[in-house]
Amino acid sequence: MASIIKRKRADGTVAYRADVRVKREGVIVHQESRTFDRQALAKAWAAKREIELQELDVFGKQKSVLIKTLIAGYIEQFIEGYGRSKKADVTRLLGYALADIDAYRLTAKDLINHCIERNKEAKPQTVQNDVIWLRTIMRTMRDVGAHDYSLDVFDTATVALRRENLIAKSTRRERRPTRLELWRLSRYFAKKRGTVPMLHVMWFAIYSARRADEICNLLWSDNNADRSTGMVRDLKHPTLKTGNHRRFKFTRSAWKIINQQPGNDERIFPYNSKTVCTYFANACNILEIDDLHFHDLRHEAVSRLFEAGLRIEQVQLISLHENWQTLKRYTNLRPEDLDV
């Protein structure tokens, strides 16, 4: 539908701007404008363009798919098997204005504007996840749906986004609990009565290098008592979402804690991992321990293994890191711990 807007120029003369817009499902999928000195010319041009656009099938069969349709399709077909955080990242994209844009008309400006708004509520590292996921979704759904929209806008936008620090790579976290912090947490959990034996869970995390999700999903039936090994089912992996089962070695201290559990459930630690992390965070708040997360215990665990003199390949049999590049991110040795 066309509209004619009358406006006054800086020199006092009058101009008429003809705007032509095409909407589909309440979303503008095409827009153009032109300015004329006479109203009649503006109306004539607008009428002509509407006819031309109809002939080009802009209103009907021209290739078009909304980004929110692609996201919804991706969630339906591919999201199963991803972790909670990734599911949340993808689902959250549906709530942004970017989702209402036609994939065939997505511009670098659209991506940049989205990131500018997101930076008002999130860090550049988090905002980068939006861009990564959107690109992944559009690439996958382009192949699935036989679309041929271009993804070049991501390359163009990324240059500007990085230059202006609107997106950034995740910073390496090096937080390890101090001996005093572990002592205080141990005393707190020892006195705290509850459904989750947090003292055992905390120290098992330190001795085993297991994530919270992994700890709460370990099965008694997967243990090999003769070899002191267990199994992590669906081990976290960048590409393998399910079926990535890996055996690992229990340290002596971890195995000792295992044998102290009641064994009245198929799971060794039959608790919700979110509850475990919440209890840990609450304890840190009460004890005024700043910036310590449950996942930092995994950092602590890997670092302790290296400090104990284990080789890289030996540590990997416990932590189950794929390679040294990923393993070293969790290895935060302290200078005072070196014996040279």
Side-chain angles (χ1 to χ4, degrees), residues 243-277:
N244 186 33
H245 307 328
R246 296 276 304 279
R247 297 203 68 80
F248 68 93
K249 180 73 173 180
F250 286 107
T251 63
R252 291 186 181 88
S253 295
W255 187 253
K256 183 178 179 180
I257 293 177
I258 286 287
N259 291 324
Q260 292 175 357
Q261 304 314 304
N264 51 13
D265 190 281
E266 64 176 357
R267 291 183 296 159
I268 300 171
F269 297 96
Y271 315 109
N272 188 303
S273 60
K274 292 180 69 175
T275 301
V276 167
C277 293

Side-chain angles (χ1 to χ4, degrees), residues 10 12 67 74 80 101 111 197-198 207 216 223 239 278 325:
I67 290 176
Y74 187 88
E80 189 63 33
I101 297 175
L111 289 172
M198 283 299 299
Y207 292 139
C216 295
N223 285 355
T239 57
T278 299
Q325 288 301 315

